[in-house]
């Protein structure tokens, strides 16, 4: 009996379009699922639980219609829930996920067995994001179905551990689904994630630059212009270390001295909440270095598939050159 979900083998690519704050919405999720990869979004991207339910209905309806019209089963979709006492909507949003039987729940900032059990009650899966071994151990104890390893260089709230080391460390004690996050922007990167021992790749920054994302054009262009060294890792924006586009920090008037602080900046009246701050201070990972365009989800997935196949074929050639 396998500990890995069966749907992985049915995906067009072993990839998840990560849930991005203010960026991921129904349009992006639906197009990803139609193209055979897992699309996800944060519940809090909708300002109310009522609006969140409208999105769930829209996604379920459009994917069901697509399957009926084409005879092709789309990939499952997922919702990111912040499992923390600071999230006043957790209970209400969790009930809606159960009501609409969301296939995959991605939990952040807390792995709670009661939440996991609630999702398992209808056959859903829970993937939990971690940045270190201690977090992974707690999530494993809570019974999650997969771990998202957020390695160094990932966009948003990233860790600092090298992906090869992180995967190797977690696989020593965890035998369920491993999903790797951090600087994955090409099909070759997806192949590399599998070579390191992951089951799937977790991609955020690359999907910001899709026509279906909710990112403004200036954000997308800034990603195209940026290189790995233009990404700044700081706790000054949210109080938790995360990676941001340096150009957006500079445009917001944030100084080097501000960025060196380990506490959240008081943005004052102009940016008085974290949500408002993230509208003009833009997150991205070091994978920006290979993002050079804006494509539709359909075009991007086809490009990723081509790059992935080329990378695998190259590995086969290496085996012929270096036999046992």
């Amino acid at each position: 009996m396998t500990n890995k979900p069966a749907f992985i083998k049915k995906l067009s690519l072993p990839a998840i379009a990560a849930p991005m704050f203010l960026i991921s919405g129904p349009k992006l999720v639906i197009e990803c699922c139609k193209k055979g990869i897992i699309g996800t979004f944060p519940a809090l991207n909708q300002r109310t639980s009522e609006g969140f339910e409208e999105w769930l209905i829209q996604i379920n309806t459009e994917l069901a219609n697509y399957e009926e019209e084409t005879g092709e089963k789309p990939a499952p979709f997922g919702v990111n829930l912040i499992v923390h006492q600071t999230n006043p909507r957790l209970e209400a949003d969790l009930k809606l996920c159960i009501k609409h039987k969301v296939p995959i729940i991605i939990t952040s900032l807390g792995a709670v067995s009661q939440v996991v059990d609630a999702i398992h009650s209808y056959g859903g899966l829970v993937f939990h994001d971690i940045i270190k071994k201690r977090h992974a151990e707690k999530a494993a104890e809570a019974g999650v179905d997969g771990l998202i390893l957020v390695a160094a260089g990932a966009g948003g709230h990233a860790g600092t551990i090298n992906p090869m080391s992180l995967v190797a460390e977690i696989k020593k004690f965890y035998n369920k689904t491993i999903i790797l996050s951090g600087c994955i922007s090409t099909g070759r990167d997806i192949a590399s994630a599998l070579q390191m021992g992951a089951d799937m790749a977790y991609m955020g920054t690359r999907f910001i630059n899709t026509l279906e994302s909710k990112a403004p054009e200036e954000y997308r262009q800034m990603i195209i212009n940026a290189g790995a060294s233009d990404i700044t890792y700081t706790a000054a924006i949210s109080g938790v270390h995360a990676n941001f586009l340096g150009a957006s920090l500079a445009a917001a008037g944030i100084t080097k001295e501000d960025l060196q602080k380990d506490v959240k900046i008081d943005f004052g009246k102009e940016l008085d909440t974290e949500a408002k701050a993230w509208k003009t201070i833009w997150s991205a990972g070091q994978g920006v270095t290979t993002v050079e365009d804006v494509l539709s989800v359909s075009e991007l997935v086809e490009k990723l598939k081509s790059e992935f196949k080329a990378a695998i074929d190259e590995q086969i050639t290496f085996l012929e050159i270096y036999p046992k």
Side-chain angles (χ1 to χ4, degrees):
M1 183 175 178
T2 180
N3 287 321
K4 314 293 174 68
F7 66 71
I8 292 180
K9 294 182 179 180
K10 298 178 181 179
L11 299 174
S12 65
L13 275 173
I16 299 175
M20 296 173 285
F21 187 51
L22 304 179
I23 301 300
S24 306
K27 192 173 182 180
L28 179 58
V29 170
I30 291 165
E31 289 307 308
C32 285
C33 294
K34 286 180 179 180
K35 291 298 295 181
I37 68 170
I38 298 169
T40 67
F41 72 99
L44 295 179
N45 272 8
Q46 258 289 3
R47 299 183 65 179
T48 66
S49 291
E50 292 76 14
F52 171 53
E53 182 171 27
E54 290 175 1
W55 277 12
L56 292 179
I57 293 171
Q58 178 185 351
I59 292 169
N60 274 323
T61 300
E62 292 199 31
L63 291 181
N65 289 342
Y66 173 79
E67 183 173 0
E68 184 177 351
E69 292 169 2
T70 65
E72 297 179 5
K73 189 173 183 62
F77 75 96
V79 167
N80 176 218
L81 295 179
I82 303 300
V83 184
H84 193 270
Q85 60 186 4
T86 57
N87 179 12
R89 279 178 41 188
L90 175 60
E91 183 177 356
D93 290 350
L94 177 58
K95 287 181 179 178
L96 290 172
C97 289
I98 296 169
K99 175 182 177 181
H100 294 281
K101 297 183 178 181
V102 176
I104 298 169
I105 300 297
I106 297 170
T107 52
S108 303
L109 300 180
V112 179
S113 59
Q114 291 88 340
V115 172
V116 175
D117 291 343
I119 301 305
H120 285 172
S121 70
Y122 65 84
L125 298 176
V126 180
F127 296 157
H128 184 72
D129 58 19
I130 63 98
I131 62 172
K132 59 181 66 174
K133 180 181 178 182
R134 179 170 60 84
H135 297 161
E137 290 172 336
K138 289 185 176 181
E141 290 174 3
V144 302
D145 303 287
L147 294 174
I148 301 166
L149 281 50
V150 188
H157 294 124
T160 58
I161 301 176
N162 178 282
M164 287 185 283
S165 298
L166 190 56
V167 171
E169 187 169 52
I170 302 306
K171 285 179 73 70
K172 286 182 179 179
F173 66 89
Y174 191 75
N175 64 358
K176 295 182 182 179
T177 304
I178 297 288
I179 303 143
L180 183 61
S181 170
C183 307
I184 301 175
S185 295
T186 69
R188 178 177 290 275
D189 296 339
I190 297 173
S192 297
L194 300 191
Q195 287 279 26
M196 281 187 266
D199 298 294
M200 287 190 285
Y202 202 64
M203 307 177 71
T205 300
R206 173 66 266 202
F207 280 87
I208 295 173
N209 276 37
T210 57
L211 297 176
E212 291 85 354
S213 88
K214 298 169 75 67
E217 184 56 37
E218 295 82 1
Y219 190 174
R220 295 168 177 160
Q221 189 59 49
M222 193 176 289
I223 285 176
I224 291 172
N225 294 339
S229 61
D230 297 311
I231 302 301
T232 300
Y233 189 65
T234 179
I237 307 305
S238 66
V240 178
H241 277 89
N243 278 314
F244 296 91
L245 287 160
S248 72
L249 295 169
I254 297 174
T255 66
K256 290 183 178 180
E257 291 73 21
D258 290 328
L259 297 175
Q260 292 170 353
K261 299 174 183 177
D262 287 329
V263 295
K264 183 178 175 181
I265 296 172
D266 180 4
F267 290 107
K269 294 180 179 179
E270 291 300 316
L271 294 171
D272 58 359
T273 69
E274 183 180 340
K276 289 182 180 179
W278 283 60
K279 285 185 178 179
T280 55
I281 300 171
W282 295 325
S283 177
Q286 293 174 7
V288 294
T289 191
T290 54
V291 181
E292 300 175 340
D293 50 20
V294 178
L295 302 173
S296 69
V297 167
S298 179
E299 292 170 327
L300 175 57
V301 173
E302 288 304 315
K303 179 180 180 182
L304 293 173
K305 286 165 62 177
S306 176
E307 293 168 342
F308 179 80
K309 184 180 184 303
I312 297 298
D313 288 344
E314 188 175 285
Q315 291 295 311
I316 294 173
T317 300
F318 286 158
L319 289 174
E320 295 172 351
I321 297 173
Y322 304 107
K324 293 182 180 179

